[in-house]
Amino acid sequence: RGVARAAAVSALFAAAGAGALAPFTLLSIDLEANTALVVAGVACTALVGLLSHFALRPLDVFGDDPEDADADAAGGARRPGYKLLVVQLSLLWCAGLVVWMVDGLQGAKASIPAWLHACAWAIAAGAMPLPLLSPPRVVPRFASVYLAAATAYALFSVSYESLFYAALGFASLAWLVLERHVQKLAAADALFDGDKTRLRSRVADPNADAAVTFATSSEQRDADKSVARHAATFLALINAAFFGTGNIASVASFEISSVYRFTTRFNPFLMGALLMLKVLVPMITVAVAFLCLLKLRATPPFPAYLVFIALSDLMSVTFFFEVTTEGSWQDIGMSISRYALMGTQVVTILVFLGLADAYAAAIPTRGVVARRAGNDAGKKTR
């Protein structure tokens, strides 16, 4: 179809991801228990994981996921990581089953047995290290992190949160795919020295003379103006991940039933830690997507972080002028907490990037090289 058409399609998917994510930021933070929505979110998350493996991986958009020789495969070769996918999907549905059983016992006003709490702890603890076993390739590694975090997040969900996380992961993955196609178009544009007419004819028709071909490169390059776009998108997604289902500084955001899958004994320190984990899990997923993007762009992270700081400061100023001393205590508290949280984000984001780097560090740098067919001398790395 050509890179231009693929970029257009990926743009549509990115728009669909943003459209699916946007309504959650407008929903009430007063969550009402709804097990059906939690299970629906688990199903949507599993669907995104399956599509990433069986629809996106065969396209090898990022140029790092070839088929490996496998004597047990039908064609003698297949991509690694599918056994781990089965394990992670099984854990995800086990988490959904635990949620359904605990909510059913709560509805019947029955006591929750200790073995159910033990299952919840075991599922959450067992899911998080699994991404380290996935192939160090962009799609399987990100999908593995996405499913692992979804397993833990489902155990905290009481209403639409799991649906929100499914939309957040889909939007993050669509962002990665879109940026890769934009990167290819930029590399082809540089190859033809800005000749738009020749560029469109070569990219749209792979059979034309002097057609454009693409390969990957590990060569680092200097930051350019696209860093601002990456930082702005990352800022939007990380704030959606944080504020999408409530505000950690507001008591109204804390639904006590969200920790019943782990404990029913009142312990403010344990419950507060679990609440913190619930808020942070989606942010780790977005941070992994951002680090994967920097690997794909073959650019150092520091320039993007500087732009992120500048944009965060601008948002902090905006929230400062929205601080109010009128209205309910909830309105006053939320206006102050938004300003305080945005002001500290420039520091706390380093923690998330550090945690995410544990998952993304093994992914190699994969820039893009554009060439005219049969002419390697004209290549330029992007």
Side-chain angles (χ1 to χ4, degrees):
R1 292 183 177 182
V3 177
R5 185 175 300 179
V9 173
S10 62
L12 291 177
F13 277 101
L21 187 61
F24 291 99
T25 60
L26 303 176
L27 297 178
S28 172
I29 61 174
D30 298 320
L31 304 178
E32 297 182 0
N34 191 326
T35 309
L37 286 180
V38 177
V39 175
V42 168
C44 291
T45 303
L47 179 60
V48 173
L50 289 171
L51 289 176
S52 66
H53 274 270
F54 294 102
L56 186 57
R57 287 190 70 184
L59 300 178
D60 196 14
V61 174
F62 304 107
D64 65 344
D65 199 10
E67 291 184 333
D68 294 345
D70 190 337
D72 296 331
R78 64 180 171 187
R79 292 176 174 85
Y82 289 103
K83 292 181 180 178
L84 181 62
L85 172 65
V86 173
V87 173
Q88 291 193 287
L89 289 177
S90 300
L91 286 176
L92 178 61
W93 281 109
C94 285
L97 179 61
V98 170
V99 170
W100 179 77
M101 294 178 67
V102 171
D103 288 357
L105 291 172
Q106 282 185 264
K109 299 187 181 302
S111 61
I112 301 174
W115 66 268
L116 264 182
H117 291 318
C119 287
W121 283 104
I123 291 171
M128 297 310 294
L130 289 180
L132 298 175
L133 303 178
S134 63
R137 306 172 183 184
V138 173
V139 174
R141 179 57 60 94
F142 176 78
S144 184
V145 172
Y146 170 65
L147 291 175
T151 301
Y153 198 67
L155 293 169
F156 291 112
S157 300
V158 296
S159 184
Y160 61 79
E161 304 104 300
S162 60
L163 282 171
F164 161 78
Y165 181 79
L168 179 68
F170 177 77
S172 299
L173 185 59
W175 174 41
L176 288 176
V177 176
L178 175 60
E179 286 288 351
R180 188 57 160 186
H181 287 303
V182 170
Q183 186 182 10
K184 289 182 177 180
L185 288 175
D189 187 20
L191 179 64
F192 285 98
D193 297 324
D195 188 340
K196 302 294 183 180
T197 304
R198 294 181 64 195
L199 169 64
R200 283 193 293 268
S201 65
R202 271 40 175 201
V203 173
D205 182 10
N207 296 320
D209 57 322
V212 177
T213 60
F214 298 97
T216 59
S217 172
S218 59
E219 182 181 348
Q220 288 282 342
R221 68 185 186 89
D222 296 333
D224 57 17
K225 61 184 179 181
S226 64
V227 169
R229 182 179 72 247
H230 303 154
T233 306
F234 176 54
L235 179 64
L237 288 176
I238 205 75
N239 283 321
F242 189 85
F243 294 106
T245 57
N247 184 347
I248 191 174
S250 173
V251 177
S253 298
F254 182 38
E255 175 59 45
I256 189 67
S257 60
S258 64
V259 300
Y260 279 172
R261 289 79 187 247
F262 296 94
T263 181
T264 52
R265 181 176 299 178
F266 181 74
N267 185 329
F269 298 103
L270 176 61
M271 291 180 172
L274 291 173
L275 171 64
M276 180 71 72
L277 184 61
K278 176 184 177 180
V279 174
L280 300 185
V281 163
M283 301 179 72
I284 297 297
T285 304
V286 176
V288 169
F290 180 62
L291 292 180
C292 288
L293 177 62
L294 294 180
K295 296 272 189 175
L296 295 173
R297 297 292 301 185
T299 55
F302 188 67
Y305 179 65
L306 289 180
V307 177
F308 178 86
I309 290 177
L311 294 176
S312 295
D313 289 341
L314 289 175
M315 290 190 67
S316 297
V317 172
T318 302
F319 281 125
F320 174 77
F321 287 107
E322 292 183 358
V323 172
T324 180
T325 57
E326 300 177 354
S328 65
W329 284 109
Q330 178 181 337
D331 293 336
I332 296 173
M334 290 187 67
S335 66
I336 296 174
S337 64
R338 287 195 185 105
Y339 166 66
L341 292 169
M342 284 303 304
T344 59
Q345 184 171 248
V346 296
V347 177
T348 56
I349 197 63
L350 290 175
V351 178
F352 300 120
L353 292 176
L355 293 174
D357 190 58
Y359 294 121
I363 299 176
T365 300
R366 291 283 181 176
V368 169
V369 176
R371 301 186 181 95
R372 292 186 180 92
N375 182 11
D376 292 341
K379 66 181 181 181
K380 291 189 178 182
T381 303
R382 299 294 298 173

